[in-house]
Amino acid sequence: MSKEKKLVTEQLTLEEQEALMQKYDTESNQRNVTGIAAIIIFTLLISFSLFQLYTGFFGAYTAYIQRTIHLGFALVLIFLLFPASKKGNKNRNRIAWYDYALALISFIVCLYWPIFYDSLVKNIGSISTVQVFIGGLAILLVLEATRRAVGLPITIIAGVALLYALLGPYMPGMFAHRGLNLNQLVKTMFFTTEGILGTPLKVSSTFIFLFLLFGAFLVKTGVGTYFNDLAISIAGRRTGGPAKVAIFSSALNGTISGSSVANTVTTGAYTIPLMKRLGYKKEFAGAVEAAASTGGQIMPPIMGAAAFLMIEFAGVPYWEIAKAAIIPAILYFSGIWIMTHLEAKKTGLVGLPKEELPSKKEVFKKIHLLIPIFVIIIFLFLGYSIERTALLGILSAVVVSLFMKETRITPRKFVDALTSGARTALGVAAATACAGIIVGVVTKTGLGLKLGNGIVDMAGTLTSNVNVQLLLTLLFTMITSIIIGMGSPTTANYIITSTIALPAILALNDQLDFAIPVLAAHMFVFYFGIVADITPPVALAAFAASGISGGEPIRTGINASKLAIAAFIIPYMFVLNPQMLMIDASWLGIVWIFITAFTGMIAVGAGLIGYWYKGLNWIERILSVITGLLLMYPEGYSDAIGLVLFIGMIAYQFIFKKDQGVGQPVEAKGA
C-alpha cells in the first residue's frame, strides 16, 4: 500500500465523524427522517432561512414579533428533529407522536405574540389567566427544547434560576430577596424583553443567524477542505508537521465554526491520525487538536458568534471587540505552535513526506475562496451594519464559488446551504432563549451583584491588600467561569458567565487605583468559559478528540489544558494591562507588549515541555516558566528581568549544557 493510500485509509469516514458528533455534541444529535416528515422539516428549514434573509435585507420586525417568529421556527424544528433522549435516536427515521404535539403547541404559543400584538402592547402592564398559561407553556417548551438541542448544564442552571426567583424570601443570608410570584415570573419571562425574548434572542434572531448562514455557504464552496489543504501545504513539511497543520487549520476553521466539538471532529478526523502515524502519543495528538479547535472560538472575526453578543452586553462597537481579540488570539495559537514544535524537537518527530502533500500550485489556485472572509472583515471595518455585512458575505461566497467548476454553488448546493444554516441555528436559538431566562432572573433579583460582591468579599477576607484582592477575585471568577462554562455552547457560555461571574470584576473598580475596562472584564470571563471545553473533568472537545485518537480522555484534557496555557495566563495580563487589548494604547506600546508576551510564551512552553534547544531538568523548567511569566506580566521592570533571564537561559543552553539524548528531527524544515 502506498503512503498516500495509507494516509486516506487512516482518516475517519463521514459516518464515524457523525457518530462522534452525536456522542459529544448535543446539537448534532438529530433525526434522519424520511417521507412526508422529511418534506415538512425541509420546508420549515428553508422557510426559516428565507425569513431571516428577508428581515436581514428589508429590516427586522418589531422586537416581540421578530423574536417570537424566530423562536417559533426553532422550537418546532427542534421537537421534530431532536429525540427526547439519545436512546430514542436509535430509530432515527421516525418522529414520536408527542413530538408532533410539542411542535404544534410551540407553533401556537409563539404565534400568540404576532396575532395579538396590538392588544398585548396596549395592556403591557397586566397579565391575564390565558397569558399566564401561554407564558408558562413557553417557559417549559424552551427548557425542554434546550435540554434536547443544547444539553443539561444550561437547562439545569435555568431551572434553578426559576426556583430561585420564586423562593426568594426563603433563601439564606445575602441570597434572600423579595421573590416573584408565578404571574410576575411568567410576565417577565415571556411578556417583556427581559426574559426569553431578551437581548440574547435578539442577537440570535438578527446577527447570529445570518453569520451561521454565511458559514454554511462557505462550507458548500469547499472552504473547510481548502483550509486543511492550505494548512498542510504551508506547515506539513515542518518539524512535527501534522500538529502544526491541526493548529493552522483549526484557527482558520474557527473563523466560521461556532463549536469547539464540531471543529475538533471535522479537522481532527484528518489531523489526529496523521499525528499518531508520525509518532505523537495518542493523548498529545488529541490534545493538540482539542486545544487548537477550542481556540477557534476566540478567533476574530466571528469568535463563535459571541462577538455579536458582546456588542449588546458590553456596549462596545463590533470593531473594538474584534480588534481587542487579535493579540490574545495570536498569542494563544502561538503558544500551542511553540509547544508542539518543542515536543516534536524533543522526541525527534519529522514533517510529512513531500509526496503526501497537496500541490502548492493547485492549493493557491483556490486562494479566491478566502475572499468572503476578507469581505466580512473589510465591511465591518468600514462601519457597515452587521446584518448588511453578513448578507454581503453570503453574496460574495456565492459569487466567488462561480470562479471554478468544483467550487461552484449549484441550485442544489444553494438549497443545502439554506437548510444547513437553519439546522446550525437551532441550538443557538434554544441556548439564547434559555439564557434569557437566566439573565431575566439575575436582573430581577439582583443575583449577579450579590454573587459579585460575595466573590469580592471572600477575596477581601483573605487579604487587606487591594491588589492581592484583585488577583484573588480574578482567580475565583476564573473558577466560576470554567465551572459554569462546562458543557455549554459558546453563545450560552458567554451569556451566563457575563451575567453571573462578570460583576465580581467590575465590583472592585471603586477600590482600585485604575479602572478595569468593561471590555477587558467581558473578555476575561469569555476566555475562561471557552477553555471549559478542554478543562477536565467535562472537557467535551478533549473527549471528542480522544474518540478519534483512542487516547485516555482525562489525560487528553490535561495535555490540552497545558498546551492552551496562554488562555489561562493572558486574561490576567489584559485585565492588569488593557493595552494588550489595544485599549488606550500606542502602536509602539502594542508592539512591545506583543514581543515580550510572545517571548514569554516561548519560555513558558519550553518549561512545560521540558525542552528548549536542549533538554531541561526540573529546576530549569521552573526557572523557564518564571522567566516567561515575568515577560508576559505587563510591567517594565518585569520585562527587563525576564529578558535578562531569557537571554541567560539561551546562552546557558548553548555554552554549558550538553545534549541529553533527546531525539532530533530529520527531514524537518524549521519551525
Side-chain angles (χ1 to χ4, degrees):
M1 180 182 287
S2 70
K3 288 181 179 179
E4 189 172 350
K5 287 182 179 177
K6 184 179 180 183
L7 174 62
V8 173
T9 56
E10 285 179 345
Q11 296 176 41
L12 267 67
T13 63
L14 289 175
E15 290 76 14
E16 290 171 327
Q17 291 181 43
E18 186 178 351
L20 274 174
M21 292 279 285
Q22 289 175 13
K23 184 175 181 180
Y24 296 110
D25 184 15
T26 307
E27 294 180 38
S28 300
N29 188 36
Q30 298 183 19
R31 292 184 174 108
N32 185 20
V33 297
T34 57
I36 296 176
I39 295 172
I40 293 172
I41 290 172
F42 172 80
T43 304
L44 287 170
L45 288 169
I46 291 291
S47 301
F48 194 8
S49 287
L50 291 177
F51 167 76
Q52 295 293 157
L53 284 171
Y54 176 83
T55 56
F57 188 80
F58 293 103
Y61 291 102
T62 56
Y64 292 109
I65 294 177
Q66 178 77 17
R67 298 173 201 181
T68 49
I69 292 176
H70 177 81
L71 180 63
F73 270 118
L75 292 180
V76 170
L77 283 163
I78 286 170
F79 289 121
L80 294 178
L81 280 170
F82 291 82
S85 66
K86 287 190 176 181
K87 183 179 178 181
N89 210 25
K90 287 182 179 179
N91 193 350
R92 297 184 67 209
N93 61 349
R94 293 183 59 187
I95 301 174
W97 66 267
Y98 51 82
D99 286 331
Y100 281 115
L102 288 171
L104 179 61
I105 295 170
S106 299
F107 175 76
I108 294 169
V109 166
C110 291
L111 207 59
Y112 190 79
W113 258 108
I115 291 176
F116 298 103
Y117 176 77
D118 289 337
S119 60
L120 287 171
V121 170
K122 287 178 183 177
N123 301 291
I124 200 74
S126 61
I127 185 168
S128 67
T129 304
V130 172
Q131 290 167 7
V132 171
F133 179 71
I134 292 290
L137 282 177
I139 294 170
L140 295 175
L141 289 168
V142 166
L143 290 174
E144 173 58 12
T146 305
R147 185 191 68 81
R148 294 189 186 197
V150 183
L152 272 175
I154 184 175
T155 312
I156 292 172
I157 293 173
V160 170
L162 290 169
L163 288 175
Y164 176 73
L166 291 170
L167 302 176
Y170 309 101
M171 300 303 292
M174 70 173 186
F175 293 105
H177 62 93
R178 292 178 60 187
L180 302 174
N181 60 40
L182 184 61
N183 285 12
Q184 291 171 326
L185 184 62
V186 170
K187 177 186 167 186
T188 299
M189 290 299 123
F190 196 64
F191 293 97
T192 71
T193 54
E194 296 178 353
I196 291 171
L197 306 181
T199 297
L201 193 64
K202 168 195 172 182
V203 179
S204 175
S205 66
T206 51
F207 312 153
I208 293 179
F209 190 102
L210 292 176
F211 271 91
L212 293 175
L213 204 54
F214 167 67
F217 274 93
L218 284 185
V219 169
K220 291 304 173 184
T221 67
V223 74
T225 304
Y226 179 69
F227 283 157
N228 284 342
D229 290 343
L230 181 63
I232 203 167
S233 67
I234 293 173
R237 282 279 286 162
R238 298 181 181 275
T239 304
K244 292 172 180 174
V245 171
I247 298 164
F248 194 13
S249 180
S250 294
L252 291 172
N253 273 300
T255 61
I256 61 173
S257 171
S259 168
S260 301
V261 174
N263 202 354
T264 299
V265 173
T266 53
T267 310
Y270 178 75
T271 59
I272 291 174
L274 276 180
M275 284 187 270
K276 286 174 60 184
R277 180 159 66 82
L278 290 188
Y280 281 102
K281 293 179 181 178
K282 293 183 287 188
E283 286 81 11
F284 192 85
V288 170
E289 184 56 59
S293 292
T294 299
Q297 305 306 290
I298 61 173
M299 187 72 178
I302 297 176
M303 298 166 63
F308 309 120
L309 286 163
M310 212 173 284
I311 296 170
E312 301 291 333
F313 279 73
V316 177
Y318 169 82
W319 189 248
E320 292 299 315
I321 295 167
K323 185 177 71 173
I326 292 173
I327 291 178
I330 292 173
L331 291 173
Y332 178 90
F333 284 104
S334 298
I336 304 174
W337 185 286
I338 289 163
M339 280 189 268
T340 53
H341 175 70
L342 294 174
E343 177 71 17
K345 297 282 282 185
K346 175 183 176 182
T347 53
L349 302 181
V350 300
L352 289 169
K354 188 175 182 179
E355 60 268 22
E356 291 188 8
L357 302 178
S359 164
K360 284 190 177 181
K361 182 179 178 182
E362 291 300 316
V363 169
F364 283 96
K365 271 170 115 177
K366 297 181 181 178
I367 196 74
H368 63 278
L369 291 176
L370 299 182
I371 290 175
I373 295 174
F374 288 107
V375 166
I376 290 288
I377 295 170
I378 290 168
F379 280 104
L380 284 172
F381 177 74
L382 292 174
Y384 279 61
S385 71
I386 296 174
E387 294 98 325
R388 189 53 52 91
T389 299
L391 291 171
L392 289 169
I394 293 170
L395 178 61
S396 67
V398 174
V399 172
V400 164
S401 76
L402 303 177
F403 293 179
M404 300 180 71
K405 185 177 180 181
E406 58 264 39
T407 65
R408 193 167 296 153
I409 292 185
T410 61
R412 174 65 182 273
K413 285 185 178 180
F414 188 90
V415 170
D416 286 347
L418 292 178
T419 58
S420 177
R423 281 178 183 267
T424 306
L426 298 180
V428 176
T432 50
C434 191
I437 293 175
I438 300 167
V439 174
V441 170
V442 169
T443 302
K444 277 290 183 181
T445 62
L447 178 62
L449 187 59
K450 292 174 183 178
L451 286 172
N453 288 333
I455 290 174
V456 171
D457 290 344
M458 183 166 59
T461 59
L462 299 175
T463 180
S464 58
N465 186 302
V466 70
N467 292 320
V468 177
Q469 186 182 9
L470 170 61
L471 291 175
L472 289 173
T473 299
L474 292 175
L475 175 65
F476 297 149
T477 304
M478 175 191 80
I479 295 169
T480 304
S481 298
I482 290 175
I483 293 172
I484 291 172
M486 288 180 176
S488 296
T490 303
T491 47
N493 193 326
Y494 166 67
I495 294 167
I496 299 170
T497 53
S498 64
T499 303
I500 295 176
L502 175 73
I505 301 175
L506 298 180
L508 266 178
N509 264 351
D510 292 338
Q511 304 176 38
L512 297 171
D513 295 331
F514 64 97
I516 300 170
V518 172
L519 181 56
H522 278 267
M523 291 288 285
F524 184 91
V525 297
F526 173 58
Y527 258 65
F528 285 114
I530 292 299
V531 297
D533 280 346
I534 52 173
T535 306
V538 178
L540 289 181
F543 272 72
S546 67
I548 301 172
S549 69
E552 202 281 315
I554 296 297
R555 195 173 300 163
T556 301
I558 292 170
N559 277 326
S561 298
K562 181 173 72 172
L563 288 169
I565 189 66
F568 292 90
I569 298 173
I570 291 171
Y572 288 89
M573 301 302 124
F574 61 59
V575 167
L576 295 173
N577 188 348
Q579 286 188 334
M580 187 176 280
L581 300 179
M582 301 193 205
I583 296 174
D584 297 330
S586 66
W587 282 109
L588 185 62
I590 291 169
V591 170
W592 177 251
I593 286 171
F594 178 78
I595 291 172
T596 55
F598 182 81
T599 308
M601 279 308 311
I602 295 173
V604 169
L608 292 176
I609 296 298
Y611 184 87
W612 204 331
Y613 291 96
K614 296 173 184 176
L616 302 177
N617 60 38
W618 280 104
I619 295 175
E620 292 163 342
R621 292 177 73 170
I622 293 170
L623 181 60
S624 181
V625 171
I626 292 171
T627 299
L629 292 176
L630 285 168
L631 284 165
M632 295 180 75
Y633 186 75
E635 289 291 345
Y637 68 87
S638 64
D639 289 342
I641 296 170
L643 283 171
V644 170
L645 289 173
F646 186 87
I647 295 168
M649 289 198 71
I650 293 177
Y652 175 74
Q653 287 261 307
F654 279 104
I655 298 171
F656 299 107
K657 198 167 179 62
K658 293 181 179 179
D659 194 346
Q660 297 180 345
V662 291
Q664 292 297 320
V666 295
E667 298 181 15
K669 200 176 178 182

